[in-house]
Amino acid sequence: MARMQIGPYRIDPPVVLAPMAGVTDKPFRLLCKRLGAGLAVSEMTASDPRLWQTRKSLKRMDHDGEPEPVSVQIAGYDPGMLAEAARFNVANGAQIIDINMGCPAKKVCNVWSGSALLQDEPLVARIVKAVVDAVDVPVTLKIRTGWDRQHKNALTIARIAEDNGIAALAVHGRTRADKYEGEAEYETIAAVKAAVRIPVLANGDVTTPQQAKHVLDATRADAVMIGRGAQGRPWIFREIAHYLATGELLPEPSPRDVSNILLGHLEHLHLFYGEQAGVRIARKHLGWYAKDRSENASFREVVNRAETAQEQSRLTRAYFETLQDSWRIAA
Ligand SMILES: Cc1cc2nc3c(=O)[nH]c(=O)nc-3n(C[C@H](O)[C@H](O)[C@H](O)COP(=O)(O)O)c2cc1C
């Protein structure tokens, strides 16, 4: 596979964590990078400067100690405001700026941003140009295949992106109207890849190494981008990277491996957000780690009642020790 490059940054392996609001915070990005992601895109930050000083935004803009390249997503609809947001984030450590034109969320689309922008091609061009001109770092763009199945304009948008200096393009194989329904399709991503020279990241429904390889083969994309498949499974990046490099599957992580990863993740969440918010945010991740096995339902119930960091970690450790014992007996 050819080298995947965004501006001066080599993306190796070409397996990337997708931006997910409320999920891809700094603790999760660091974890995914440590477990093999070649790039991890931040949660989107608002382009409205009135929101930049809130506690939530400040946490989102904390990139201290994050391995490069630090990629920060911005969302909005006004070229001037987006340019300003890009500058602000670069001053705060962003090494790549990613523009969100892929998100169907109401909050974003109501104000004519996210994937709703795909309906207004001249505006897309103005936004892209304004942001690219505003900063010296590479600017990437994340889109869907179009706004509905009758209007799949990803190809036009991709050319606009390329002509206006976008360094790489991520395409989610659904239209905005599809939301997250049905299955992602990869033909449009393949057509985009064939039409432009900039690197293309293929995104949508990749949850296994085999699927990652299939999508890369089918689209000829330069990298694969993983969103929901990484929730509670941050080791998916090394699994995919290993499979792409060798054609072999890594063994499933043992309960002890999962426990070590999860306890480290919990500790980082508690530290990063403080105990109260950390415990609350960790519940969401605990639910994802525990989603694969039916016996985990009881664990979720118990661990969700923990109010302190210590209790949350203790219950988690105890549960996975029991799992490890039964795993060893079964093996
Ligand atoms: C909880 C959640 C939050 C998301 N937030 C964003 C976001 O802030 N910006 C964005 O461009 N896409 C966002 N997305 C879309 C993902 O980046 C990705 O395109 C989508 O989930 C499809 O990939 P997947 O099938 O691998 O999950 C979000 C998706 C989820 C599930």
Side-chain angles (χ1 to χ4, degrees), residues 27 106 126 160 167 178 183-184 187 228 250 302 323:
K106 267 241 149 54
R126 285 199 290 128
I160 292 173
D178 290 335
E183 285 175 11
E187 292 80 16
R228 291 163 297 171
L250 284 176
V302 175
L323 261 193

Side-chain angles (χ1 to χ4, degrees), residues 73-95:
Q73 189 179 66
I74 57 175
Y77 58 96
D78 180 81
M81 272 165 78
L82 280 159
E84 197 46 48
R87 271 191 222 107
F88 182 81
N89 276 292
V90 169
N92 271 280
Q95 294 164 312

Side-chain angles (χ1 to χ4, degrees), residues 27 31 34 258-270:
L31 181 60
R34 187 161 65 73
V258 174
S259 173
N260 286 339
I261 290 167
L262 176 49
L263 286 167
H265 189 181
L266 292 182
E267 199 178 312
H268 196 178
L269 287 169
H270 299 149

Side-chain angles (χ1 to χ4, degrees), residues 18-21 23 44 73 100 142 172 180 203-205 226-228:
M20 287 181 285
V23 184
M44 74 187 153
Q73 189 179 66
N100 176 355
K142 180 157 174 288
H172 175 190
Y180 289 96
N203 171 236
D205 296 353
I226 321 279
R228 291 163 297 171

